[in-house]
Amino acid sequence: MPIQTDWLRSVLIERGYLARIKGEAIKVYMVMLEACGGIPDQSVTMSLNQMMQQTRLSCPTVIDCLARLEKLKLVVSTTHERGKVKSYYVSDPLADEFA
């Protein structure tokens, strides 16, 4: 697991994302990281209910946190159709720097 640990340390600490994640969004991000095994560019399939239970946050708060994480490019929404359930994957913001 050293690759995941190095990647997480690089993203959150060295690249300064931890300081940019505001409020409760860190809880949502950690739950998503745990769900994808700490590996970037992995899909995460969780219901809002599951996220609410694991973070102890309200539905509007979880949705707001996901929007904040999406603005930071830490998560990417893969569903944009009206009336469809949004799905996300944990992105690797470092990949943009090397592309």
Side-chain angles (χ1 to χ4, degrees):
M1 192 137 108
I3 294 171
Q4 291 90 354
T5 303
D6 290 344
W7 173 80
L8 190 59
R9 180 179 33 239
S10 177
V11 170
L12 289 181
I13 308 300
E14 294 166 9
R15 303 285 176 163
Y17 279 91
L18 185 59
R20 290 186 250 170
I21 299 174
K22 301 291 182 204
E24 304 287 4
I26 191 68
K27 290 181 181 180
V28 173
Y29 188 59
M30 290 300 179
V31 166
M32 291 185 72
L33 280 174
E34 195 274 328
C36 74
I39 301 170
D41 293 329
Q42 298 290 314
S43 292
V44 176
T45 303
M46 295 181 76
S47 68
L48 279 174
N49 237 3
Q50 288 172 306
M51 286 189 157
M52 289 166 45
Q53 287 175 349
Q54 290 186 14
T55 61
R56 304 238 191 268
L57 299 173
S58 68
C59 185
T61 302
V62 170
I63 291 169
D64 181 56
C65 290
L66 287 167
R68 285 190 222 161
L69 293 170
E70 196 169 4
K71 284 181 185 174
L72 290 172
K73 297 183 181 176
L74 291 171
V75 300
V76 176
S77 172
T78 56
T79 308
H80 295 284
E81 297 175 42
R82 185 174 171 89
K84 296 280 185 176
V85 173
K86 268 194 162 182
S87 59
Y88 295 87
Y89 73 88
V90 175
S91 67
D92 183 354
L94 302 179
D96 290 339
E97 293 179 24
F98 299 113

